[in-house]
Amino acid sequence: MNICIITYKYPSKHNTSDYAFVKQLVDAIAAQGIHCSVLAPFSISHYKRLTVSKEEYAVGEGKVTVIRPGYLSFSKFKIGKFNLSLWAHKRAFKRAFRKLDTKPDVIYGHFWSAAYCGYELAKKNNIPLLVASGESEISKMFAAPLDVREFAEYVSGVICVSSKNRDESIKLGLTSIEKCGVFPNAVNVELFHKRDKSECRQQLGLPQNEFIVVFVGWFNDRKGAQRIAEAINRTGGVKSIFIGKGEQDPQCDGILFKGPMPHDQVPIYLGAADCFVLPTRAEGCCNAVVEAMACGLPIISSNLPFNWDVLDETNSIMVDPNDIDEIANAIRLMRDDTDLRENLSKGALLKAESLTIDRRAQAIVDFISSKIV
């Protein structure tokens, strides 16, 4: 099978963490002996060139070809109802598509908006189109006046990261339940796995006898980094690690590290922590939660539907993401009850066993095969 993946972002030497989760999945699919062609436009405002670059690398018995066309970004600027950014992305995908050596068996859009940009390509070339639905809020992807009815009818299948994403896609009239499969995000266990906490802390120069919580994600209101900081100040006796960046600057007592880092360095910081906290307001299915679980961390996260496919009372404390006192109480309980912490850690590891990237890739390939026969 030859799969063409269209995505707005893909890791490069300039940014190794940009949509790293997409690369993990692509590599896992390619390892099954499949040729994956990735079309990933880049903004010329960043790299100052309107060219098409092409690179290839092998993964097991398979191969990945990455084609990056340059495009001019117009942000959210429109002329009436005409969306200039949508137009620019469509042109970029078409330019990249012409560089493919062979016609793909299927086009796979990561996410709904990317699939919409690839719809004309798929229809013109009589290629089945599938969608990876992983947005935190799908409705925002189609906020502009777009005619999606014919596009929705053409889509052969939808790979949803959560039941919440499936239900939202159906409610918006983008698909039907018969076309959908739910495949929660997964983790590369060669990178994310349980480590010796003491050794991790020693390697990072962190205190051995402190209770440490870790956050991984954008520093913004949706993810809740500042709400964690405020909860920690109400709790006392807690150290913290904030991995990420964004418009907020979380401030609280006891911060041991704050800032971005390469994706492959995150696991050792997770290994050094006692629990993972993410009071996010909206997700598809959060990769950071699954990665923390694979590292054996008990989870404090939101009591909202996007978490229900991976989190329950065996591996997490689920809270109102807007209630700082509730977040603080959960952190305090996790700190003070070592038996609870240990039991939730075991539950996280048990759940993570079913959320490996290899299993997810195989399930997705089987689903794609069933939809393009």
Side-chain angles (χ1 to χ4, degrees):
M1 187 186 298
N2 186 326
I3 301 177
C4 176
I5 297 98
I6 56 178
T7 175
Y8 286 138
K9 298 178 183 178
Y10 198 76
S12 67
K13 63 182 179 181
H14 303 288
N15 190 338
T16 59
S17 61
D18 217 0
Y19 271 35
F21 61 93
V22 176
K23 185 177 187 299
Q24 285 184 9
L25 178 61
V26 168
D27 288 353
I29 291 174
Q32 300 179 38
I34 293 173
H35 182 195
C36 295
S37 301
V38 180
L39 311 186
F42 65 88
S43 171
I44 64 171
S45 63
H46 294 158
Y47 302 110
K48 311 300 182 186
R49 57 186 176 86
L50 190 63
T51 58
V52 178
S53 66
K54 186 174 182 179
E55 60 183 274
E56 293 184 344
Y57 61 90
V59 183
E61 298 296 320
K63 181 176 71 171
V64 178
T65 302
V66 184
I67 303 175
R68 304 179 192 271
Y71 74 96
L72 184 62
S73 175
F74 295 96
S75 188
K76 297 180 180 179
F77 184 74
K78 299 184 182 71
I79 300 176
K81 294 183 178 180
F82 185 71
N83 188 318
L84 284 171
S85 288
L86 184 65
W87 171 81
H89 274 107
K90 284 183 177 180
R91 285 179 57 88
F93 283 129
K94 288 178 181 178
R95 291 170 58 228
F97 188 83
R98 290 196 291 267
K99 296 291 183 178
L100 295 179
D101 295 328
T102 58
K103 178 182 175 180
D105 299 301
V106 61
I107 292 179
Y108 176 111
H110 223 294
F111 298 119
W112 275 107
S113 53
Y116 186 82
C117 284
Y119 163 55
E120 292 177 10
L121 280 174
K123 186 174 182 180
K124 180 180 179 180
N125 293 278
N126 195 29
I127 301 171
L129 175 65
L130 279 89
V131 181
S133 174
E135 297 89 337
S136 58
E137 294 179 82
I138 299 171
S139 58
K140 290 186 176 181
M141 300 296 103
F142 294 94
L146 299 172
D147 180 12
V148 300
R149 182 178 56 82
E150 292 184 359
F151 158 67
E153 290 177 355
Y154 189 83
V155 170
S156 299
V158 184
I159 294 152
C160 307
V161 297
S162 64
S163 300
K164 170 260 181 188
N165 265 64
R166 177 198 61 199
D167 296 344
E168 187 178 357
S169 298
I170 294 170
K171 185 177 180 180
L172 289 168
L174 296 172
T175 187
S176 61
I177 194 166
E178 294 79 13
K179 290 185 177 182
C180 295
V182 177
F183 307 91
N185 284 332
V187 64
N188 179 357
V189 294
E190 293 183 3
L191 184 60
F192 291 89
H193 55 82
K194 187 171 176 58
R195 291 170 163 80
D196 183 273
K197 185 191 302 182
S198 179
E199 291 179 3
C200 290
R201 292 189 178 191
Q202 183 177 4
Q203 183 176 341
L204 297 172
L206 301 179
Q208 290 288 345
N209 298 317
E210 298 284 356
F211 179 79
I212 302 175
V213 303
V214 60
F215 165 93
V216 180
W218 286 100
F219 296 169
N220 59 22
D221 195 52
R222 175 170 71 89
K223 292 286 189 178
Q226 185 54 39
R227 292 194 294 279
I228 296 173
E230 293 177 26
I232 288 173
N233 280 338
R234 297 183 189 185
T235 303
V238 174
K239 303 296 183 183
S240 59
I241 296 169
F242 289 88
I243 299 173
K245 60 182 180 179
E247 63 265 24
Q248 291 186 341
D249 181 20
Q251 298 284 347
C252 62
D253 296 332
I255 294 179
L256 301 172
F257 175 87
K258 180 171 60 176
M261 69 176 59
H263 189 243
D264 60 3
Q265 293 181 21
V266 173
I268 190 170
Y269 283 84
L270 294 176
D274 292 291
C275 78
F276 178 86
V277 188
L278 183 74
T280 176
R281 290 172 172 159
E283 297 289 337
C285 171
C286 184
N287 285 279
V289 167
V290 179
E291 290 169 350
M293 292 170 66
C295 292
L297 287 183
I299 308 298
I300 297 173
S301 191
S302 313
N303 57 0
L304 296 173
F306 53 76
N307 272 332
W308 294 350
D309 291 296
V310 295
L311 295 182
D312 56 36
E313 68 280 359
T314 69
N315 52 39
S316 64
I317 299 175
M318 302 178 77
V319 299
D320 180 345
N322 300 304
D323 191 328
I324 294 172
D325 283 333
E326 197 168 326
I327 299 167
N329 289 336
I331 293 173
R332 188 179 298 111
L333 179 60
M334 198 77 80
R335 180 197 64 192
D336 296 341
D337 192 334
T338 55
D339 289 340
L340 173 66
R341 198 162 70 235
E342 183 177 346
N343 288 334
L344 294 181
S345 173
K346 291 177 181 177
L349 287 169
L350 183 62
K351 182 63 177 179
E353 288 179 2
S354 65
L355 299 173
T356 67
I357 193 68
D358 292 338
R359 288 188 181 185
R360 184 171 193 259
Q362 182 61 63
I364 287 174
V365 169
D366 291 344
F367 180 80
I368 290 173
S369 298
S370 73
K371 295 299 181 183
I372 64 174
V373 174

